[in-house]
Amino acid sequence: KQTGSRLKCRALDVKNTDAFLKGRLFQLDDVIEAQQFDREILSAIFEVAREMETIEKKSRGNQILKGFLMATLFYEPSTRTRLSFESAMKRLGGEVLTTENAREFSSAAKGETLEDTIRTVEGYSDIIVMRHFESGAARRAAMTANIPVINAGDGPGQHPTQALLDVYTIEREIGKLDGIKVGLVGDLANGRTVRSLAYLLAKYNDVKIYFVSPEVVKMKDDIKDYLTSKGIKWEESADLMEVASKCDVVYQTRIQRERFGERVDLYDEARGKYIVNRDVLSVMQKHAVVMHPLPRLDEITVEVDDDPRAAYFRQAKNGLFIRMALLKLLLLGW
Amino acid sequence: KQTGSRLKCRALDVKNTDAFLKGRLFQLDDVIEAQQFDREILSAIFEVAREMETIEKKSRGNQILKGFLMATLFYEPSTRTRLSFESAMKRLGGEVLTTENAREFSSAAKGETLEDTIRTVEGYSDIIVMRHFESGAARRAAMTANIPVINAGDGPGQHPTQALLDVYTIEREIGKLDGIKVGLVGDLANGRTVRSLAYLLAKYNDVKIYFVSPEVVKMKDDIKDYLTSKGIKWEESADLMEVASKCDVVYQTRIQRERFGERVDLYDEARGKYIVNRDVLSVMQKHAVVMHPLPRLDEITVEVDDDPRAAYFRQAKNGLFIRMALLKLLLLGW
Amino acid sequence: KQTGSRLKCRALDVKNTDAFLKGRLFQLDDVIEAQQFDREILSAIFEVAREMETIEKKSRGNQILKGFLMATLFYEPSTRTRLSFESAMKRLGGEVLTTENAREFSSAAKGETLEDTIRTVEGYSDIIVMRHFESGAARRAAMTANIPVINAGDGPGQHPTQALLDVYTIEREIGKLDGIKVGLVGDLANGRTVRSLAYLLAKYNDVKIYFVSPEVVKMKDDIKDYLTSKGIKWEESADLMEVASKCDVVYQTRIQRERFGERVDLYDEARGKYIVNRDVLSVMQKHAVVMHPLPRLDEITVEVDDDPRAAYFRQAKNGLFIRMALLKLLLLGW
């Protein structure tokens, strides 16, 4: 954000990617939404994430971010995401200021704007990781702040680091992204995770996507239309076994009870419909994997956990490496 | 607190300032109330705060407080103040133990005294920063503790670091404290900020203070009498424009809704009365500044933010430097 | 946990102590319950705790755990215990990830199992300190985790670090454990502290235990039977003065109001019955001490605090040394 000749915030003008990409060098100023990343930037971030794996495993007490302070400004709790970011920062020698009850900053009683809060917090830290309950809050924060902002989820909007770690996991597990077949299973209507993933997969060649979901939570048309416009093949299926036998990745998601209101009957019907269990494993290819954004209920049975193709805990761990990479890139650059 | 021949706690006997001041050397044991500081001590603290500005800007990863542990014992939440202290500690290489729900320590159910809590926490840390809901709690803590205690606000009582950063900001922005004209605007009856500021300004020469407030929240007589007794000129005014045109500092404050109970009509009348906007800016002198303890609602309009005379975010940042200075002085001495 | 030929988790098979003890060398993998420690292991841990006292006093900024990350996974708040662990970690140069509201992980709404949470958190940290509301939760966590787990209290179950610090305090204060006389006073029925302490004392020779408690909260038969089976002499007494005059340690505990439900009358009767005050002190031997797990209400009067035999704040501090020792042993080994 220091260079006046560049756009103030890359994420705020996602069309102009080229200006930020020169060979493998580009300027990453904020992480606001999955759409800000193109294929080359994803590849570059993943390369750094691989370096981070090495650092985490072999270089205990790494200090490349020594002296940097990250503020985790969480307007709603998300312990899992917060711990992942804080671990990432500390694994690189950085320090953390934590707020789990950041709503207090902008409480109705006091009425401070998000912008004012950001102007204060940027005086105390070098980077802000923000979780907010309102869609678009991260972008507003980034426009205000003179330090980098990472969106750790803003309401029904974006959760870009989850999208990045999902794509990174596929590449790590399958070895490639072009030409893969991915089955998206479960709640495809409400899960921002699968929507972002579908969006990012459209950047690769010859990808085939299968949607397997109960009728009430089917993938919405906007994503289907988008995939079609990008030449990505997709189909809907009610046969999880057949899809599982063809796919490189079976990406299971949780049916979220809170989406069904008082229709517990619909919820119960939906959640029991597509379960990943040993039967599903038995038809999957040897190199294929099962993924899940976690937390899970019983949509993947515990018996699956011990199979080497159960990739969901490795996926969670990859979130650490992706976040380490982003912190490194935002604070130190390439 | 180690030196038996001195008073155990400087703040506990604010009359005897001289004993603690030898040239520029004095012993700072606790920070309990604004009254404990005289002009010379303020000047010395501000000098250290200036060094802290340099450290924060140029010496990333400074380690002068390495190995020191600060416990932030907050009996009521105040994210802004807590983050400021924790950032200060970490900017100097120190570490932090955080409690945002310290009330649990002394819950009615368990009934532990503050004194017992302090005796326990002092075993785990090197300095205690405490926020409490009861006036006088900080002093009680300081009398018990064998390590330094900083009052981060005790109920309607004191918030001395806010008072220090206010005076520091005036000196930084205006270049002097003697001879300045300050307009205190808004809720002067309930705001401990403006009361402490008036008290501290009385230590300087030829200061003139203007009180501009709705009738229901006028400055109380005790402060007026105190200023008079110290030879400080003050006057009340209902004309913000005229005051603004004369002052070096326009110190705006928030009208606190919670003070009005069910009299929403009085609240609405009071809060709309004195707004700092472009019109006010237009009559202010070029060197003058607008200050505010934050958070603000609409008592300063957003259009003021971009004017170089809008000093309130710099003021918030100065809180960091003041707290760094106090931590350095309390833990390392001069 | 790395060595396949050993048991995966020492604490999960407390019978096989010998395999883990070779001279003074043994493998400590988790800290789950007081029963996992025998006399030799206790002695070895206490030796390390003594080293930790020296480090804490003389070696500010010690870095032996630099690069290690501890996750404090607290499913119920316990500020005192959490601060003690976090201070211990930071005093040795380690870093901390804090969760005070870990219930969110396993909320009914989301329904994640403890095992899944542990698998995620172990990816972000090097050791887990867990407090849980369910008895047995720590053992389940230890069976799942590939990193060490310390039980910081699991419901009505165990709180082994409290038991260790109690025994350590007796040895530090009295100079020995064999042959001591200990009076356990107060709520002996519900306090897991006194139950664990009685259990551990049974490992020493010629110990004599006195139980002094209101009728409604008498020590239960299981512990009495256990002591008898181990050849430990015990007796019940209603005469605190007489017991105090004979004992090396008077271990007072808080009568917990929540155990009495609506029977406030019984609570009031019980809590007033055995108070440690100056009268009790006056009959105690010169070398004897008063202990208490804290927090206290008025079961020890404040006038006792200044007597050198009041050991309860030193006892709280010993918790720091014990936890430093355990973290060192679990992360670095002997």
Side-chain angles (χ1 to χ4, degrees):
Chain A
K1 291 177 176 179
Q2 289 71 19
T3 51
S5 61
R6 289 178 172 177
L7 284 176
K8 180 164 176 293
C9 169
R10 194 219 162 287
L12 301 180
D13 193 293
V14 297
K15 309 299 182 307
N16 288 5
T17 305
D18 291 347
F20 293 88
L21 188 64
K22 304 184 178 167
R24 304 306 294 276
L25 290 172
F26 66 90
Q27 178 66 24
L28 192 63
D29 283 333
D30 298 285
V31 174
I32 304 303
E33 57 188 20
Q35 291 90 312
Q36 81 184 81
F37 303 107
D38 61 24
R39 193 180 161 133
E40 285 72 27
I41 296 180
L42 288 173
S43 171
I45 291 172
F46 294 169
E47 203 177 301
V48 179
R50 289 295 286 268
E51 294 167 22
M52 295 298 138
E53 290 199 37
T54 308
I55 284 176
E56 197 257 356
K57 282 178 186 59
K58 299 191 181 165
S59 171
R60 186 181 297 286
N62 182 290
Q63 297 287 311
I64 64 171
L65 295 187
K66 180 168 181 173
F68 286 97
L69 253 177
M70 176 178 94
T72 47
L73 197 60
F74 274 46
Y75 283 78
E76 60 178 19
S78 175
T79 311
R80 184 185 310 273
T81 302
R82 183 174 61 79
L83 286 192
S84 177
F85 271 108
E86 296 186 357
S87 179
M89 191 68 184
K90 294 187 173 183
R91 286 295 189 204
L92 295 174
E95 269 294 341
V96 174
L97 302 175
T98 299
T99 62
E100 286 199 272
N101 64 341
R103 274 200 192 221
E104 182 218 332
F105 265 126
S106 63
S107 68
K110 290 192 178 172
E112 184 176 65
T113 63
L114 174 62
E115 283 75 6
D116 276 17
T117 301
I118 294 293
R119 280 191 192 94
T120 302
V121 174
E122 73 175 346
Y124 303 152
S125 58
D126 301 302
I127 187 167
I128 294 172
V129 175
M130 188 175 88
R131 178 138 188 151
H132 203 278
F133 47 91
E134 273 179 23
S135 189
R139 182 177 293 264
R140 284 169 56 205
M143 291 186 72
T144 302
N146 289 302
I147 61 174
V149 171
I150 300 180
N151 183 3
D154 54 349
Q158 289 275 340
H159 191 6
T161 59
Q162 177 71 44
L164 288 178
L165 77 89
D166 285 345
V167 179
Y168 180 64
T169 299
I170 295 174
E171 195 197 46
R172 288 286 281 126
E173 296 285 337
I174 308 301
K176 62 174 184 177
L177 287 159
D178 291 325
I180 58 164
K181 292 186 177 64
V182 177
L184 302 178
V185 187
D187 183 347
L188 307 184
N190 303 301
R192 63 184 169 192
T193 310
V194 285
R195 290 173 54 84
S196 295
L197 180 56
Y199 185 94
L200 286 183
L201 288 175
K203 297 179 186 297
Y204 296 88
N205 301 322
D206 300 319
V207 170
K208 175 78 183 271
I209 299 182
Y210 298 87
F211 300 123
V212 184
S213 69
E215 192 66 24
V216 286
V217 286
K218 283 176 62 177
M219 179 58 81
K220 289 174 181 167
D221 285 340
D222 62 336
I223 293 287
K224 292 178 188 169
D225 293 345
Y226 180 81
L227 292 175
T228 301
S229 77
K230 293 290 178 180
I232 300 292
K233 289 178 206 148
W234 58 267
E235 63 178 78
E236 295 185 310
S237 169
D239 188 343
L240 174 58
M241 296 296 279
E242 200 213 340
V243 166
S245 71
K246 290 186 201 158
C247 281
D248 302 288
V249 175
V250 174
Y251 194 107
Q252 175 68 294
T253 60
R254 182 168 59 94
I255 307 285
Q256 297 175 57
R257 181 172 188 152
E258 54 271 34
R259 305 291 182 179
F260 289 83
E262 298 189 355
R263 295 304 304 269
V264 181
D265 55 329
L266 288 181
Y267 168 67
D268 285 336
E269 188 191 325
R271 73 182 285 215
K273 190 135 189 191
Y274 298 110
I275 303 288
V276 175
N277 54 22
R278 259 191 208 150
D279 294 340
V280 174
L281 269 185
S282 71
V283 301
M284 284 176 63
Q285 300 173 68
K286 195 163 180 183
H287 77 279
V289 293
V290 178
M291 292 174 61
H292 191 296
L294 303 181
R296 67 154 163 191
L297 292 179
D298 47 14
E299 62 274 6
I300 300 176
T301 58
V302 175
E303 63 192 5
V304 174
D305 293 3
D306 290 331
D307 193 284
R309 291 170 292 181
Y312 27 95
F313 293 118
R314 297 193 292 274
Q315 180 185 357
K317 180 86 182 214
N318 286 336
L320 179 69
F321 304 132
I322 285 290
R323 283 155 189 147
M324 289 170 79
L326 292 174
L327 291 170
K328 189 265 183 190
L329 288 169
L330 288 165
L331 290 169
L332 298 181
W334 289 90
Chain B
K1 291 180 178 180
Q2 286 74 19
T3 51
S5 61
R6 288 180 172 177
L7 283 177
K8 181 164 176 291
C9 169
R10 194 218 163 288
L12 301 180
D13 194 291
V14 298
K15 308 299 182 305
N16 288 4
T17 305
D18 291 346
F20 292 89
L21 187 66
K22 305 186 176 165
R24 305 305 293 273
L25 291 173
F26 67 90
Q27 178 68 24
L28 191 63
D29 283 332
D30 298 286
V31 174
I32 304 304
E33 56 187 20
Q35 291 89 313
Q36 82 184 81
F37 303 106
D38 61 23
R39 194 181 160 131
E40 285 71 27
I41 296 180
L42 288 173
S43 171
I45 291 172
F46 294 169
E47 203 176 302
V48 179
R50 288 295 285 268
E51 293 167 21
M52 295 298 138
E53 290 199 37
T54 307
I55 285 177
E56 198 256 356
K57 281 179 187 59
K58 300 190 180 162
S59 171
R60 186 181 296 288
N62 182 290
Q63 298 288 309
I64 64 171
L65 295 187
K66 180 167 181 173
F68 286 96
L69 255 177
M70 174 179 95
T72 45
L73 197 60
F74 273 47
Y75 284 78
E76 61 178 20
S78 175
T79 311
R80 183 186 309 272
T81 302
R82 183 174 62 79
L83 286 191
S84 176
F85 271 109
E86 296 185 359
S87 180
M89 191 67 183
K90 293 187 173 183
R91 287 294 189 204
L92 295 174
E95 269 294 342
V96 174
L97 302 175
T98 298
T99 62
E100 286 198 271
N101 64 340
R103 274 199 192 220
E104 183 217 334
F105 266 126
S106 63
S107 67
K110 292 191 177 171
E112 184 175 65
T113 62
L114 174 63
E115 282 76 7
D116 275 17
T117 301
I118 293 293
R119 280 190 193 95
T120 302
V121 174
E122 72 174 347
Y124 303 152
S125 58
D126 302 302
I127 187 167
I128 294 172
V129 174
M130 188 174 89
R131 177 136 188 150
H132 204 279
F133 47 91
E134 274 178 23
S135 190
R139 181 176 294 262
R140 284 169 55 205
M143 291 187 71
T144 302
N146 288 302
I147 61 174
V149 171
I150 300 180
N151 182 4
D154 55 348
Q158 287 274 340
H159 191 5
T161 60
Q162 177 72 43
L164 288 178
L165 77 89
D166 285 344
V167 179
Y168 180 63
T169 299
I170 295 174
E171 196 197 45
R172 288 287 279 127
E173 296 285 337
I174 307 301
K176 62 174 184 177
L177 286 158
D178 290 326
I180 57 166
K181 293 186 174 65
V182 178
L184 301 178
V185 187
D187 183 347
L188 306 184
N190 303 300
R192 62 183 170 193
T193 309
V194 285
R195 290 173 54 84
S196 294
L197 179 56
Y199 185 94
L200 285 183
L201 288 175
K203 298 180 186 296
Y204 296 89
N205 301 324
D206 300 319
V207 170
K208 174 79 184 272
I209 299 181
Y210 299 87
F211 300 123
V212 184
S213 69
E215 192 65 26
V216 284
V217 285
K218 283 176 63 177
M219 179 58 81
K220 289 175 182 167
D221 285 341
D222 61 337
I223 293 287
K224 293 179 190 167
D225 293 346
Y226 180 81
L227 292 175
T228 302
S229 78
K230 293 289 175 181
I232 301 292
K233 288 178 206 148
W234 58 268
E235 65 178 77
E236 296 186 311
S237 168
D239 189 342
L240 175 56
M241 296 296 279
E242 201 213 338
V243 166
S245 70
K246 291 187 202 157
C247 280
D248 301 288
V249 175
V250 174
Y251 194 106
Q252 175 66 296
T253 60
R254 181 168 60 94
I255 306 285
Q256 297 175 58
R257 181 171 188 151
E258 55 270 33
R259 305 293 183 179
F260 289 83
E262 298 189 355
R263 294 303 304 270
V264 181
D265 55 329
L266 287 182
Y267 168 67
D268 286 337
E269 188 191 324
R271 73 182 285 215
K273 189 133 190 191
Y274 298 109
I275 303 287
V276 174
N277 53 21
R278 259 192 208 148
D279 293 340
V280 173
L281 269 185
S282 71
V283 301
M284 284 176 62
Q285 299 173 70
K286 195 164 179 182
H287 77 278
V289 293
V290 179
M291 291 174 61
H292 190 295
L294 302 181
R296 67 154 163 192
L297 292 179
D298 47 13
E299 62 273 8
I300 300 177
T301 59
V302 176
E303 62 191 7
V304 173
D305 293 3
D306 291 331
D307 193 285
R309 292 169 290 181
Y312 28 95
F313 293 117
R314 296 194 293 274
Q315 180 186 359
K317 179 86 182 214
N318 285 337
L320 178 69
F321 304 132
I322 285 290
R323 283 154 189 147
M324 289 170 78
L326 293 173
L327 290 170
K328 190 265 183 189
L329 289 169
L330 289 164
L331 289 169
L332 297 181
W334 288 90
Chain C
K1 290 179 175 179
Q2 287 73 20
T3 52
S5 62
R6 288 180 172 176
L7 285 177
K8 181 167 177 292
C9 169
R10 195 218 161 286
L12 301 180
D13 193 292
V14 297
K15 309 298 181 307
N16 288 4
T17 304
D18 291 347
F20 292 87
L21 188 63
K22 304 182 178 168
R24 304 306 293 275
L25 291 173
F26 66 91
Q27 178 67 24
L28 191 63
D29 283 332
D30 298 285
V31 174
I32 304 303
E33 56 188 22
Q35 292 90 314
Q36 80 183 83
F37 303 106
D38 60 22
R39 193 181 160 131
E40 285 72 27
I41 295 180
L42 289 173
S43 171
I45 291 170
F46 294 168
E47 201 176 302
V48 180
R50 288 295 285 267
E51 293 167 23
M52 294 299 138
E53 289 198 37
T54 307
I55 284 176
E56 198 256 356
K57 282 179 185 58
K58 300 191 180 164
S59 171
R60 187 181 296 284
N62 183 290
Q63 298 287 309
I64 64 171
L65 294 187
K66 179 167 183 173
F68 286 96
L69 254 176
M70 174 179 95
T72 45
L73 197 61
F74 272 46
Y75 283 78
E76 60 177 20
S78 174
T79 310
R80 183 185 310 272
T81 302
R82 184 174 62 78
L83 286 191
S84 176
F85 271 109
E86 295 186 358
S87 179
M89 190 68 183
K90 293 186 173 183
R91 287 293 189 204
L92 294 174
E95 268 293 341
V96 174
L97 302 175
T98 298
T99 63
E100 286 199 272
N101 64 341
R103 273 199 193 219
E104 183 216 335
F105 267 126
S106 64
S107 67
K110 291 190 178 171
E112 183 176 65
T113 62
L114 174 63
E115 282 77 6
D116 276 18
T117 301
I118 293 293
R119 281 191 192 94
T120 301
V121 173
E122 73 175 344
Y124 304 151
S125 58
D126 302 302
I127 187 167
I128 293 172
V129 174
M130 190 174 87
R131 177 133 187 155
H132 204 279
F133 46 91
E134 272 178 24
S135 189
R139 181 177 293 263
R140 285 168 56 205
M143 291 186 73
T144 301
N146 288 303
I147 60 174
V149 172
I150 300 180
N151 183 4
D154 55 348
Q158 288 273 339
H159 191 7
T161 59
Q162 177 71 44
L164 288 178
L165 78 88
D166 285 344
V167 180
Y168 180 64
T169 299
I170 296 174
E171 196 197 46
R172 288 286 280 126
E173 297 285 336
I174 307 301
K176 63 175 184 176
L177 286 157
D178 290 326
I180 58 165
K181 293 187 176 63
V182 178
L184 301 178
V185 187
D187 182 346
L188 306 184
N190 304 299
R192 62 184 170 194
T193 310
V194 283
R195 289 172 54 84
S196 294
L197 180 56
Y199 186 94
L200 286 183
L201 288 175
K203 298 179 186 297
Y204 296 89
N205 301 322
D206 300 319
V207 170
K208 174 80 184 270
I209 299 182
Y210 298 87
F211 300 122
V212 183
S213 69
E215 192 65 27
V216 285
V217 286
K218 283 176 62 177
M219 180 58 81
K220 290 174 181 166
D221 285 340
D222 61 337
I223 293 287
K224 293 179 188 166
D225 294 345
Y226 179 81
L227 292 175
T228 302
S229 77
K230 294 289 176 181
I232 300 293
K233 289 179 206 146
W234 59 267
E235 64 178 77
E236 295 186 311
S237 169
D239 188 342
L240 176 57
M241 295 297 278
E242 199 211 341
V243 167
S245 71
K246 290 186 202 158
C247 281
D248 302 288
V249 176
V250 173
Y251 194 106
Q252 175 69 295
T253 60
R254 182 167 60 95
I255 307 285
Q256 297 175 58
R257 181 172 189 152
E258 54 270 34
R259 306 291 181 179
F260 289 82
E262 298 190 354
R263 295 303 304 271
V264 182
D265 56 329
L266 288 181
Y267 168 67
D268 285 338
E269 187 191 325
R271 71 182 288 213
K273 188 134 190 189
Y274 298 110
I275 304 287
V276 175
N277 53 21
R278 259 191 209 150
D279 294 339
V280 174
L281 271 184
S282 71
V283 300
M284 284 177 63
Q285 300 173 68
K286 195 164 181 184
H287 77 279
V289 293
V290 178
M291 292 174 60
H292 191 295
L294 302 182
R296 67 154 163 192
L297 291 180
D298 47 12
E299 63 273 7
I300 300 176
T301 57
V302 176
E303 62 191 7
V304 174
D305 294 4
D306 290 332
D307 193 284
R309 291 170 291 181
Y312 27 96
F313 293 118
R314 297 194 293 272
Q315 180 185 358
K317 180 88 182 213
N318 285 337
L320 178 69
F321 304 132
I322 285 290
R323 284 154 189 147
M324 288 170 79
L326 292 173
L327 290 171
K328 190 265 184 188
L329 288 169
L330 289 165
L331 290 169
L332 298 181
W334 288 89

